[in-house]
Amino acid sequence: MVMMRLHPDMPLSRTHLAIATVFLMTAAHAHETPGAEMAAAATRFLDSLNASQRAKATYPFTHSERENWNYVPMVRGGACLKELGPESRERARDLLKAGLSERGLLTVDSIMALENVLHEMEQSAHRDPELYYVAIFGTPGVDPWGWRFEGH
């Protein structure tokens, strides 16, 4: 370990205090961890919903809906983007941004846009880029918790 003094006349304990202060100030301004960022985005999403939408979007972490995964077009659990206002849709997108890379977010956008093509090909009401659902399991930031964005 290398120890250095910021100023030769400054006692070592003050040096440690100065370094610790700079470190804490830097940490306070650093980005949140991905988990904390997702929890904050999930909380903002939930806060943007009305009572009815929030009831659809939230489940206890142990609810069986958390394990209900499907890959076919159908009505799903959670708050449907089609039923959300502009602010809530933006908060849902922020949640996706917190959990995905830039490429991952582009992939989601591309898949959702393809719903229009599939709608024309299949003439199916289930093919709609707004028929995607956001579900929050548990309380964001309180372990265990999770979220799901699902549609098709």
Side-chain angles (χ1 to χ4, degrees), residues 88-101:
S88 296
R89 286 179 188 212
E90 187 62 32
R91 299 296 77 81
R93 183 151 180 84
D94 291 344
L95 180 55
L96 283 170
K97 285 179 186 176
L100 297 172
S101 66

Side-chain angles (χ1 to χ4, degrees), residues 35 38-40 42 61 95 136-147:
M38 280 188 274
F61 184 78
L95 180 55
I136 308 292
F137 301 95
T139 303
V142 178
D143 288 334
W145 80 279
W147 62 278

Side-chain angles (χ1 to χ4, degrees), residues 8-137:
D9 296 332
M10 186 184 289
L12 192 56
S13 61
R14 282 192 178 174
T15 301
H16 285 140
L17 180 60
I19 291 170
T21 301
V22 169
F23 175 76
L24 291 173
M25 288 173 54
T26 302
H29 295 289
H31 292 290
E32 297 176 278
T33 64
E37 204 171 313
M38 280 188 274
T43 299
R44 286 190 299 272
F45 169 71
L46 291 174
D47 289 346
S48 74
L49 303 176
N50 64 36
S52 173
Q53 293 166 334
R54 191 177 180 110
K56 288 180 181 180
T58 56
Y59 295 89
F61 184 78
T62 56
H63 195 280
S64 62
E65 180 62 27
R66 188 171 58 88
E67 297 176 7
N68 183 18
W69 293 58
N70 292 285
Y71 298 99
V72 296
M74 59 181 280
V75 175
R76 300 168 188 275
C80 183
L81 293 181
K82 193 173 194 101
E83 299 170 357
L84 301 180
E87 180 189 355
S88 296
R89 286 179 188 212
E90 187 62 32
R91 299 296 77 81
R93 183 151 180 84
D94 291 344
L95 180 55
L96 283 170
K97 285 179 186 176
L100 297 172
S101 66
E102 190 173 319
R103 183 174 180 183
L105 190 61
L106 180 60
T107 300
V108 169
D109 289 341
S110 298
I111 290 168
M112 291 174 70
L114 286 173
E115 294 293 340
N116 291 318
V117 174
L118 292 171
H119 173 75
E120 289 300 317
M121 291 173 59
E122 298 174 1
Q123 295 300 306
S124 170
H126 289 290
R127 298 300 190 170
D128 183 335
E130 294 180 327
L131 289 180
Y132 282 77
Y133 299 77
V134 181
I136 308 292
F137 301 95

